[in-house]
Every structure is written in C-alpha cells, then in structure tokens.
Amino acid sequence: TIRGPAPRDTMPIPFHPREAQRLTLLRELGVLGGAAGAGLDALTACAARLTGAPLAAISLVDDDAQWFLSRSGFELAQLPRSQGFCSH
C-alpha cells in the first residue's frame, strides 16, 4: 500500500491566474470522487505497460485534494492538495 507523506510545513502553493475558472469547470464536470470509466482504466494500464512503470495515474486537482480518477499499481484515491505530486 502506498501512503502519502507525513504532514509537514510546506510553502504556499502558487496558483494559476485562472485558478477560479479552472475549479468552476472542474465542479461542473462532476467527475471527482466517482468511479473511473473503463476507458480511463484501460488508458492508465496501457501507460504503465508501455513505459514499464510500476505506477500510473490520471488525476485532477480541486481546492483541497489531488483525486486519482484512474490508477494502476496503487489504491490511494486522493491526497491533500498540499501533499500531491501536482503541487510541486
């Protein structure tokens, strides 16, 4: 099982100037927290296979978390945004 890093002090996350618009669109899509479709899971598995990587994921980032919509090689569904890979 993959676990997120231990909580620690971090620098503030720099946001894109259109962050509010991005988050609005993300909420309108309604894809966070739900089950991934078979197409996303197939794409993720294919990426892992083609690259020989032990882990692969398709993720989106909202206000508070990085959500793994599809993943291969781990079961973690989300991480706090401050600890997610996309914030570094």
Side-chain angles (χ1 to χ4, degrees):
T1 301
I2 304 277
R3 297 182 193 269
R8 58 184 168 82
D9 292 333
T10 60
M11 293 179 60
I13 301 167
F15 294 118
H16 189 276
R18 294 175 45 197
E19 178 74 357
Q21 293 165 320
R22 185 190 71 79
L23 291 171
T24 297
L25 178 59
L26 189 58
R27 285 185 206 101
E28 288 172 0
L29 290 172
V31 296
L32 299 178
L40 282 183
D41 287 340
L43 181 62
T44 304
C46 182
R49 239 184 353 266
L50 288 174
T51 61
L55 307 174
I58 296 173
S59 67
L60 294 173
V61 179
D62 73 1
D63 293 305
D64 303 314
Q66 178 176 353
W67 294 84
F68 298 102
L69 302 183
S70 178
R71 55 209 172 270
S72 176
F74 66 101
E75 295 299 319
L76 191 64
Q78 71 177 41
L79 276 175
R81 184 173 182 168
S82 63
Q83 295 177 12
F85 177 77
C86 293
S87 293
H88 300 282

